[in-house]
Amino acid sequence: MGSGLALVVGASGGVGAAVLDQLRAAARFGRVHGVSRAVDGLDITDEASVAALAARLSDGPPLELVFVATGVLHDGFEPERSFKALEAAHLRRDFEVNALGPALLARHLIPLLPRDRRALFVALSARVGSIGDNRLGGWHSYRASKAALNMILKTLAVELARTHPQAVVAGLHPGTVDTDLSKPFQRGVTPETLFTPEQSATHLLAVLDGLQPADSGGVFAWDGARVPE
């Protein structure tokens, strides 16, 4: 894709680690770097932590890809089956990790993107964050936080189209991936639709290869199909 820097945020997770490995193996960029809470202490919900990351990167090569592979689904809270299970703490936690974190990353990292060439800011989203595709209800906190993320990405795309005409901002739906995030929810998932992290990374990087500036602001599934808004 380019000769600059590719940054994977959440590089110690299943999908993030696989994306990092494949980017390095493919030599798509001049340099590939991964960061995470587990390895670097990065807290994407803390603005000082994100700003410090941006400061460390500001003297390096141009930032041509930001791949945000962070997210939370359960981890102390079970997805709600009904509005009766709504809790402020659950909503707050999901919004902080799934929407606030990527927004802060955009705030501090997008200024490092080049304006004269292709650059990408992408984040893992989810099909259940689609308002138009919601036919089952439930999972209020997760759905709403991913819908908020999708709106943030859309708004970023509108703004960047004015200043970075070759940039692409997008959400990525990885499908059901065999990681800790999906473990409790894999019942009923057929083997052919349960991906390893490596399979998911391969799919998502192929999607990135095909995205054009006209696609900016959309959310795309692992097979390249656009997810309804």
Side-chain angles (χ1 to χ4, degrees):
M1 288 184 182
S3 59
L5 171 66
L7 177 70
V8 180
V9 182
S12 60
V15 174
V19 167
L20 184 68
D21 287 345
Q22 292 189 24
L23 285 173
R24 284 175 170 164
R28 292 167 174 253
F29 295 88
R31 180 183 166 207
V32 178
H33 184 53
V35 293
S36 69
R37 179 193 288 270
V39 175
D40 309 276
L42 174 66
D43 181 357
I44 63 170
T45 68
D46 177 72
E47 187 157 12
S49 183
V50 175
L53 169 65
R56 293 196 299 273
L57 298 175
S58 62
D59 293 331
L63 185 56
E64 294 182 342
L65 169 64
V66 179
F67 193 112
V68 183
T70 57
V72 67
L73 173 54
H74 46 95
D75 191 24
F77 295 99
E78 289 298 316
E80 307 95 339
R81 295 178 180 274
S82 164
F83 70 90
K84 297 176 183 178
L86 281 167
E87 297 180 31
H90 189 178
L91 281 160
R92 187 177 298 113
R93 192 281 309 272
D94 280 20
F95 270 82
E96 285 183 347
V97 176
N98 294 335
L100 171 65
L104 290 178
L105 289 165
R107 161 70 177 84
H108 289 278
L109 295 179
I110 281 179
L112 304 181
L113 299 182
R115 296 186 179 216
D116 61 347
R117 74 194 79 167
R118 177 176 169 83
L120 300 100
F121 183 96
V122 300
L124 290 186
S125 187
R127 185 176 294 277
V128 296
S130 165
I131 294 174
D133 196 50
N134 183 0
R135 297 177 178 84
L136 296 176
W139 288 37
H140 298 75
S141 297
Y142 187 68
R143 284 185 187 274
S145 65
K146 288 297 188 178
L149 168 63
N150 295 347
M151 179 57 80
I152 289 167
L153 295 173
K154 175 67 174 181
T155 305
L156 289 170
V158 171
E159 293 187 31
L160 277 188
R162 305 180 187 126
T163 58
H164 297 65
Q166 298 182 57
V168 177
V169 179
L172 299 174
H173 167 56
T176 303
V177 186
D178 190 12
T179 63
D180 290 341
L181 184 143
S182 71
K183 285 284 187 190
F185 314 104
Q186 292 179 9
R187 187 174 62 181
V189 178
T190 60
E192 62 270 17
T193 58
L194 179 63
F195 303 133
T196 67
E198 293 73 23
Q199 288 173 318
S200 179
T202 299
H203 293 152
L204 296 178
L205 291 176
V207 172
L208 290 190
D209 283 344
L211 292 181
Q212 302 298 320
D215 300 315
S216 196
V219 179
F220 298 87
W222 61 270
D223 58 357
R226 191 164 190 141
V227 176
E229 295 182 352

